[in-house]
């Protein structure tokens, strides 16, 4: 699962790579498109890709069970795991996209994302997983607990994801309005 989380972080810096080359940000920032629309469009592309990744993950899950000779039906929690996984991946995507829009280097946001994954696992082990964006994927998909979340935990999970997504988006858009990207 750790490799999957790192792989989800990797394409996001690439999402802004074209703009960082040859000072294309200046061209983008002079276009008659708001920063919020640009950020939302980039996030929409990432959301679609993450949805495809979740569908592929589900396909691999089912095929793996069939190849292993498991005859039991699919767990009832599977749709919840997949949906919460997508929501948590979107939260991580907002964080990574914010870094990628702000930092010119391709490797720096990837490195920060990788370090955040390890920090997020530590936060999860300390039972503080809901308070760090990179822990939410582990919480939402029930990676270590193999149980579905109850109603109250689902509400808290959704609220924390919304809080992180709105908070990070607001901060990055406010900063981009006031200053250019880092060199």
């Amino acid at each position: 699962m750790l490799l999957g989380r790192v792989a989800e972080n990797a394409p996001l810096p690439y999402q802004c790579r074209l703009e960082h080359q040859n000072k294309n940000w200046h061209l983008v920032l002079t276009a008659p498109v708001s920063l919020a629309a640009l950020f939302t469009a980039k996030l929409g592309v990432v959301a679609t890709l993450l949805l495809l990744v979740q569908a592929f993950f589900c396909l691999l899950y089912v095929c793996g069970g069939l190849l292993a000779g498991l005859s039991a039906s699919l767990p009832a929690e599977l749709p919840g795991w997949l949906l919460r996984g997508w929501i948590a991946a979107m939260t991580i995507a907002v964080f990574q996209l914010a870094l990628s829009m702000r930092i010119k280097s391709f490797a720096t946001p990837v490195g920060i994302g990788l370090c955040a994954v390890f920090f997020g696992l530590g936060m999860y082990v300390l039972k503080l997983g809901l308070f760090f964006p990179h822990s939410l994927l582990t919480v939402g998909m029930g990676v270590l607990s193999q149980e579905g979340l109850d109603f109250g935990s689902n509400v808290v999970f959704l609220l924390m994801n919304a809080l992180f997504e709105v908070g990070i988006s607001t901060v990055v858009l406010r900063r981009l309005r006031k200053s250019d990207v880092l060199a």
Side-chain angles (χ1 to χ4, degrees), residues 60-127:
L60 289 177
Y61 183 83
V62 171
C63 289
L66 292 173
L67 287 174
L70 300 177
S71 60
S73 62
L74 291 173
E77 296 90 3
L78 183 61
W81 288 335
L82 294 171
L83 179 63
R84 286 190 304 270
W86 180 74
I87 291 168
M90 284 302 301
T91 301
I92 295 169
V94 168
F95 177 77
Q96 288 298 127
L97 185 58
L99 289 175
S100 298
M101 287 181 80
R102 186 83 178 123
I103 301 172
K104 185 176 183 178
S105 168
F106 177 77
T108 303
V110 173
I112 292 170
L114 180 62
C115 292
V117 166
F118 290 116
F119 186 76
L121 286 173
M123 293 287 285
Y124 180 81
V125 169
L126 294 173
K127 306 287 186 215

Side-chain angles (χ1 to χ4, degrees), residues 41-54:
K42 287 184 173 291
L43 203 54
V45 169
V46 172
T48 304
L49 292 173
L50 287 173
L51 196 59
L52 290 172
V53 167
Q54 285 298 91

Side-chain angles (χ1 to χ4, degrees), residues 124-136:
Y124 180 81
V125 169
L126 294 173
K127 306 287 186 215
L128 298 171
L130 290 172
F131 302 108
F132 191 67
H134 288 71
S135 301
L136 292 170

